[in-house]
Amino acid sequence: METKQLIVASTELALAGRGIARIHPDTMRSLQLIPGDIIEIKGKKRTAAKAWRDESPERSQNTVKIDGLIRTNAGVCIGENVIIKKAEGVKTAEKIVLDRPELGSNIEEVPIDVKSIKWQIAKRPIVKGDVIQVMSTTNHPYFGYLGTGKVIAMIATQTEPEGITVIRENTEIILPAEKSTIEALNIKISMLQTEIGAERAIELLIQAIKDKDKNVRINAAEALGNIGEPAVEPLIQALKDEDFNVQVNAARALGIIGEPAVEPLIQALKDEDWVDRYLAIWTLGNIGDERAIEPLIQALKDKEGMVRTYAAQALGNIGDERAIEPLIQAMKDEYAGKVAKEALEEIEKELRDNFF
């Protein structure tokens, strides 16, 4: 397998944390790489990333652009050399064991939500010893452990099988010994339902999402994601909340609920507020239901560039071939064209992988 020695450069801030290595198109051709292929990166340590074309004006055939996490995992700094090649023997991760670094006395220890982690690192290549960044959670006095948006580091202490693996939907994520966020939250809700009855518990959470205190609404939105279908309508309404953190937690909760939320989210694409439309698109992309394909294709023509961009990204996440031609047209979009191109390449690679 052909290899290249390249100089490490920093990547664009917008691409940080996505597990992407930007490489000059000529270098990719010489390594027989297509966008989305997984590459092995060897510095002082070995790691992996997804290869994407570097089409920036300052690109160089002698450099690879990677973010700080990938540099850490490869054991290199900007300006140092790495050896890259197309990864061989990449397998689906059956199990990933994640742990936290030793916590000092001045660092707050908080548990992590397994489902949230899987969302964040889905389709990422990972090697034993890699450091990843995930969103943390915190303890709420009524609802238990809930999301705060803090970013913390975790280490992959074990992968099964060994070597370069990719996180998929069926990958089992194992966390440290304490209860994960989702487990702790479910226990709290279960206790509440036992004490006062399921219907009354749901009623109280729906009331809480309308509370004048934004912190109560933020936590209620998170908790409603574990209630299921009865929570869909209040969460759809919460997408219109004046506080963006409530909106984001509502979107995440709808993503956890999944299929029952799809049709209401599709209806939300008609909302006059572009933020509501973009959050609905983001959530539909995470759920991945094929019913969203045609509405998302229509969203590629939205008057707001951010909405068009997220529509392209969502179509890439779902990976349906019906999106290919609309994405080709969307590549001409000054605002969303770059993401549309990446989404198209992701779909084409997914179709090739499924075919073979």
Side-chain angles (χ1 to χ4, degrees), residues 93-267:
E94 297 173 7
K95 180 169 74 173
I96 301 289
V97 179
L98 298 175
D99 207 346
R100 286 183 288 249
E102 291 297 320
L103 298 175
S105 58
N106 61 335
I107 301 178
E108 180 185 9
E109 183 173 1
V110 289
I112 307 299
D113 182 329
V114 176
K115 290 185 179 179
S116 176
I117 287 178
K118 194 170 286 189
W119 272 7
Q120 295 174 61
I121 62 176
K123 300 182 181 180
R124 298 273 188 90
I126 193 165
V127 177
K128 180 180 178 180
D130 275 357
V131 177
I132 63 170
Q133 285 184 337
V134 296
M135 303 301 285
S136 71
T137 55
T138 192
N139 195 323
H140 184 270
Y142 301 111
F143 300 125
Y145 294 113
L146 301 170
T148 65
K150 296 178 183 177
V151 178
I152 65 170
M154 300 198 80
I155 301 172
T157 58
Q158 180 183 342
T159 65
E160 292 183 9
E162 294 186 346
I164 299 174
T165 60
V166 177
I167 309 295
R168 301 291 186 190
E169 186 177 346
N170 60 346
T171 300
E172 181 183 10
I173 304 289
I174 306 295
L175 297 177
E178 73 275 1
K179 293 287 184 183
S180 68
T181 303
I182 206 74
E183 291 171 326
L185 183 56
N186 281 334
I187 289 170
K188 282 286 185 180
I189 292 174
S190 178
M191 290 171 61
L192 187 61
Q193 291 174 341
T194 300
E195 291 173 8
I196 64 176
E199 290 185 6
R200 180 58 179 158
I202 295 170
E203 181 183 334
L204 288 176
L205 287 172
I206 291 173
Q207 289 176 4
I209 206 170
K210 301 174 184 177
D211 196 275
K212 63 182 180 179
D213 186 330
K214 69 177 183 181
N215 291 317
V216 173
R217 300 199 305 275
I218 289 170
N219 291 317
E222 182 91 12
L224 281 168
N226 298 274
I227 294 297
E229 189 168 357
V232 170
E233 184 55 36
L235 287 169
I236 290 290
Q237 293 304 313
L239 292 177
K240 307 175 188 293
D241 195 278
E242 62 185 20
D243 186 88
F244 187 66
N245 290 319
V246 177
Q247 292 177 305
V248 170
N249 270 10
R252 288 174 177 165
L254 288 164
I256 291 171
I257 292 170
E259 184 179 341
V262 171
E263 291 297 341
L265 284 166
I266 289 173
Q267 292 302 311

Side-chain angles (χ1 to χ4, degrees), residues 54-78:
D54 181 8
E55 297 181 346
S56 61
E58 71 277 9
R59 68 190 181 197
S60 168
Q61 294 186 41
N62 299 318
T63 63
V64 56
K65 293 181 178 179
I66 52 179
D67 63 22
L69 273 181
I70 300 175
R71 296 197 297 270
T72 296
N73 292 335
V76 294
C77 299
I78 293 173

Side-chain angles (χ1 to χ4, degrees), residues 15-21 48-52 67 70 124-125:
L15 298 177
R18 294 175 57 185
I20 291 173
K50 281 189 175 183
W52 291 99
D67 63 22
I70 300 175
R124 298 273 188 90

